[in-house]
């Protein structure tokens, strides 16, 4: 059920909704974006506190909004639902009857949803995001209150810039979320990780010896912002997905200096290009892994224009060891993409991506076990499913185990496993930011079969029954509870 006022026109509209709901606090005191804001935000996030609007950052000339997605309640508000599962349930209902299994199934499933809710982006000629325009010498990224989050960060970073590129040959658009280190008043480091679509676009442009146009939108409406984080197949347009989530089309406008389109209601837009072959050292950066990522050479964005609304609000995020604001964003992805993951791995009943595992490091999966080594089959299928391929640890449990109850999962994983027989050790791709792998981009992975073992799997001792009280005694004690005086 959509909330009143959804979809939000822009970021400021969402901030007003948060304030009305008692979910936002304004901070009028001057606060330094250099470490001070980071320390404040971390304390608020850990206390499950409100979204924050810093009205007077001491760097830049505009307010700064942060922690707007910091609880599941606010994440649900952002997507216009009461529960994050509602969107997954809508998608699940739309993609029935069953579509083909495997990777073609997930693409067909998303396409079917998009066709049923035909909500492609809509081009407009004028836009609030271009009310103020700075070109040439007027370009100055220091107007934006970007954060230095951790003491050893290599500089200030723009952490919630929605980055737009196009495939140089096909023209296919990509929207992604990447950190952007500010090198100077008119250059940014493009931290394009190896598995991301923008990296592929840049590689094609370099092969052709061409500049790659780039546009970065900051402070979009919350649905568009979420869509930039969603693990969609490369041939699915993020703005079509955002339109489905919003229930109405996203307005787009042509950039002024590059051949790209951006959300008309964005607060700030940075336009520019990346030269083929150019690299500059980027980092260190205190990332969502809880560790600093090292200095590496990355492409450089040369800014040709900055456009913005007349009274813009800058949006950013703090990244660090969980829990952090990106936790509810990851939880939304987990719930929204469950029915689509089931197209690839139909054996899955439910799954959980624990926030302490930074979502891509661990997956807990429940199945209804039917044959020997069924759990291992599911592990291999998950490792073959798009960005789930980066998962390092998979724990498979029976369908009577609540995958979201970590105590119950631990009980199964610690007690139901013979570690000489029930482990599957393999090697494969890992996240670009993974510091534990001995080689960058690939490393070891493990699957734990915590299901009940079958005689056909070589278990001949007779699996014991779990302790469960009889229903009549449970009912009797429940009825007499007040008599006990407890």
């Amino acid at each position: 059920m959509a909330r009143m006022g959804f979809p939000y026109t822009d970021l400021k509209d969402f901030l007003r909704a948060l304030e009305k709901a008692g979910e936002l606090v304004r901070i009028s005191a001057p606060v330094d974006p250099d470490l001070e804001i980071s320390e404040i935000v971390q304390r608020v996030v850990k206390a499950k506190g409100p979204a924050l609007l810093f009205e007077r950052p001491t760097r830049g000339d505009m307010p700064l909004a942060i922690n707007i997605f910091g609880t599941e309640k606010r994440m649900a508000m952002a997507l216009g639902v009461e529960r994050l599962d509602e969107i997954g349930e809508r998608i699940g209902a739309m993609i029935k009857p069953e579509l083909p299994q495997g990777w073609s199934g997930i693409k067909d499933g998303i396409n079917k949803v998009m066709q049923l809710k035909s909500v492609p982006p809509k081009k407009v000629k004028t836009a609030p995001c271009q009310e103020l325009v700075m070109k040439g010498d007027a370009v100055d990224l220091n107007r934006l209150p970007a954060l230095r989050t951790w003491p050893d960060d290599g500089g200030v970073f723009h952490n919630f810039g929605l980055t737009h590129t196009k495939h140089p040959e096909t023209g296919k658009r990509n929207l992604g979320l990447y950190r952007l280190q500010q090198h100077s008043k008119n250059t940014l480091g493009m931290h394009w990780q190896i598995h991301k679509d923008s990296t592929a676009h840049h590689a094609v442009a370099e092969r052709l010896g061409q500049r790659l146009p780039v546009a970065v939108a900051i402070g979009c409406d919350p649905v568009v912002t979420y869509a930039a984080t969603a693990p969609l197949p490369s041939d699915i347009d993020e703005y079509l997905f955002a339109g489905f989530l919003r229930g109405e089309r996203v307005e787009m406008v042509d950039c002024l200096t590059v051949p790209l389109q951006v959300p008309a209601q964005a607060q700030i837009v940075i336009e520019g290009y990346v030269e083929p072959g150019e690299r500059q050292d980027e980092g260190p950066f205190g990332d969502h892994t809880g560790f600093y990522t090292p200095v590496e050479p990355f492409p450089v964005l040369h800014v040709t224009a900055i456009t913005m609304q007349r009274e813009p609000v800058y949006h950013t995020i703090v990244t660090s060891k969980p829990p952090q604001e990106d936790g509810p964003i990851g939880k939304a992805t987990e719930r929204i993409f469950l029915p689509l993951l089931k197209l690839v791995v139909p054996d899955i009943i439910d799954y959980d991506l624990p926030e302490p595992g930074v979502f891509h490091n661990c997956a807990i999966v429940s199945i209804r076990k039917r044959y020997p080594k069924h759990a291992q089959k599911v592990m291999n299928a998950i490792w073959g499913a798009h960005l789930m391929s980066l998962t390092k640890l998979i724990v498979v449990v029976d369908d009577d185990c609540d995958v979201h109850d970590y105590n119950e999962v631990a009980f199964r994983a610690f007690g139901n496993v013979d570690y000489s027989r029930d482990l599957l050790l393999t090697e494969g791709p890992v996240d670009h930011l993974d510091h534990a792998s001995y080689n960058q981009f690939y490393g070891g992975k493990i699957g734990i079969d915590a299901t009940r073992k079958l005689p056909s799997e070589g278990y001949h001792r007779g699996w014991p029954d779990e302790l469960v009280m009889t229903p009549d005694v449970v009912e009797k004690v429940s009825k007499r509870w007040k008599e006990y005086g407890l």
Side-chain angles (χ1 to χ4, degrees):
M1 178 179 174
R3 292 180 181 272
M4 186 69 68
F6 183 82
Y8 309 101
T9 303
D10 62 4
L11 173 64
K12 287 182 278 194
D13 191 19
F14 182 50
L15 295 177
R16 284 190 290 269
L18 290 176
E19 190 167 30
K20 184 177 180 181
E23 290 287 333
L24 179 139
V25 169
R26 294 173 178 265
I27 298 175
S28 59
V31 183
D32 194 346
D34 193 84
L35 303 182
E36 186 179 10
I37 286 180
S38 174
E39 177 63 18
I40 293 169
V41 171
Q42 289 177 78
R43 296 186 189 191
V44 172
V45 168
K46 286 177 173 61
K48 297 191 180 297
L52 302 174
L53 184 63
F54 291 92
E55 296 181 315
R56 298 170 62 195
T58 57
R59 181 173 57 248
D61 57 10
M62 62 192 68
L64 180 152
I66 199 165
N67 198 31
I68 65 174
F69 302 124
T71 64
E72 286 193 33
K73 177 182 178 181
R74 290 201 293 279
M75 193 68 235
M77 284 184 66
L79 298 177
V81 294
E82 296 289 343
R83 299 177 299 108
L84 293 176
D85 283 286
E86 288 180 33
I87 299 171
E89 290 164 2
R90 281 168 51 200
I91 292 174
M94 288 179 178
I95 60 179
K96 293 179 179 178
E98 294 299 323
L99 288 161
Q101 294 179 9
W103 189 231
S104 62
I106 194 170
K107 291 193 287 187
D108 290 347
I110 297 176
N111 278 321
K112 184 176 180 182
V113 170
M114 299 305 122
Q115 290 164 9
L116 288 170
K117 302 285 290 186
S118 183
V119 277
K122 176 174 64 176
K123 182 179 176 181
V124 296
K125 292 183 178 180
T126 60
C129 70
Q130 295 174 345
E131 290 172 339
L132 300 176
V133 178
M134 289 143 280
K135 297 181 181 178
D137 291 340
V139 167
D140 188 0
L141 293 166
N142 294 311
R143 293 190 62 181
L144 312 181
L147 300 183
R148 186 165 75 99
T149 308
W150 292 99
D152 291 338
D153 282 355
V156 301
F157 287 81
H158 304 272
N159 292 336
F160 233 125
L162 278 57
T163 302
H164 301 71
T165 59
K166 283 197 303 188
H167 192 289
E169 293 176 323
T170 68
K172 178 66 182 175
R173 171 172 53 207
N174 181 66
L175 172 65
L177 180 62
Y178 315 103
R179 76 186 194 219
L180 307 163
Q181 181 175 353
Q182 186 171 316
H183 292 318
S184 70
K185 71 173 222 171
N186 61 357
T187 57
L188 293 167
M190 306 302 295
H191 190 264
W192 283 336
Q193 297 171 31
I194 191 171
H195 304 108
K196 305 297 185 180
D197 293 328
S198 288
T199 305
H201 291 183
H202 182 236
V204 173
E206 286 200 313
R207 175 169 55 79
L208 297 173
Q210 298 176 0
R211 288 177 169 177
L212 182 70
V214 178
V216 178
I218 297 175
C220 297
D221 84 73
V223 172
V224 168
T225 298
Y226 169 72
T229 75
L232 295 168
S234 59
D235 57 351
I236 300 296
D237 191 308
E238 286 83 3
Y239 283 103
L240 201 61
F241 185 61
F244 162 72
L245 295 176
R246 284 170 56 89
E248 69 176 36
R249 301 165 72 182
V250 178
E251 292 186 344
M252 308 286 289
V253 68
D254 287 338
C255 290
L256 302 181
T257 62
V258 293
L260 296 168
Q261 291 184 340
V262 289
Q265 304 293 337
Q267 300 293 303
I268 303 152
V269 175
I270 301 169
E271 303 179 8
Y273 61 88
V274 174
E275 289 278 12
E278 183 181 14
R279 300 290 190 279
Q280 185 170 333
D281 282 349
E282 192 265 6
F285 178 71
D287 220 315
H288 65 272
T289 60
F291 296 87
Y292 287 101
T293 52
V295 174
E296 292 183 88
F298 278 96
V300 178
L301 175 65
H302 296 266
V303 180
T304 53
I306 299 177
T307 72
M308 59 181 69
Q309 295 193 16
R310 283 199 177 86
E311 295 182 352
V313 175
Y314 179 83
H315 178 214
T316 191
I317 191 171
V318 166
T319 57
S320 83
K321 177 182 177 181
Q324 283 300 334
E325 181 184 350
D326 55 3
I329 300 173
K331 182 57 68 173
T333 294
E334 174 198 291
R335 304 326 299 162
I336 290 171
F337 282 81
L338 173 59
L340 296 168
L341 181 60
K342 286 183 175 182
L343 288 174
V344 181
V345 194
D347 316 70
I348 291 176
I349 302 298
D350 199 0
Y351 78 131
D352 185 277
L353 305 175
E355 185 179 357
V358 202
F359 293 99
H360 58 259
N361 283 335
C362 177
I364 303 164
V365 180
S366 61
I367 65 170
R368 189 167 293 116
K369 189 171 178 178
R370 295 187 291 111
Y371 47 79
K373 300 299 179 181
H374 192 172
Q376 285 79 357
K377 179 258 191 184
V378 169
M379 297 169 194
N380 284 303
I382 290 171
W383 282 320
H386 195 35
L387 289 179
M388 292 295 288
S389 64
L390 304 181
T391 309
K392 295 204 297 181
L393 168 63
I394 299 174
V395 181
V396 182
V397 294
D398 290 300
D399 61 321
D400 62 348
C401 177
D402 180 358
V403 294
H404 310 295
D405 183 342
Y406 298 154
N407 285 330
E408 178 67 15
V409 171
F411 174 74
R412 306 293 180 106
F414 298 162
N416 281 9
V417 178
D418 178 339
Y419 292 100
S420 67
R421 290 174 176 260
D422 297 332
L423 301 186
L424 179 59
L425 184 63
T426 187
E427 192 173 62
V430 297
D431 187 74
H432 190 128
L433 304 178
D434 191 294
H435 61 278
S437 58
Y438 285 71
N439 298 284
Q440 193 174 25
F441 309 133
Y442 72 94
K445 298 159 176 287
I446 194 167
I448 300 176
D449 179 0
T451 62
R452 298 175 182 88
K453 304 309 175 292
L454 305 173
S456 53
E457 292 176 305
Y459 184 89
H460 299 297
R461 297 177 59 198
W463 195 262
D465 293 330
E466 191 174 334
L467 311 183
V468 179
M469 184 53 69
T470 58
D472 59 323
V473 173
V474 171
E475 183 180 4
K476 177 181 178 180
V477 171
S478 296
K479 287 181 178 178
R480 297 194 60 195
W481 190 255
K482 290 184 180 179
E483 293 183 44
Y484 307 143
L486 297 175

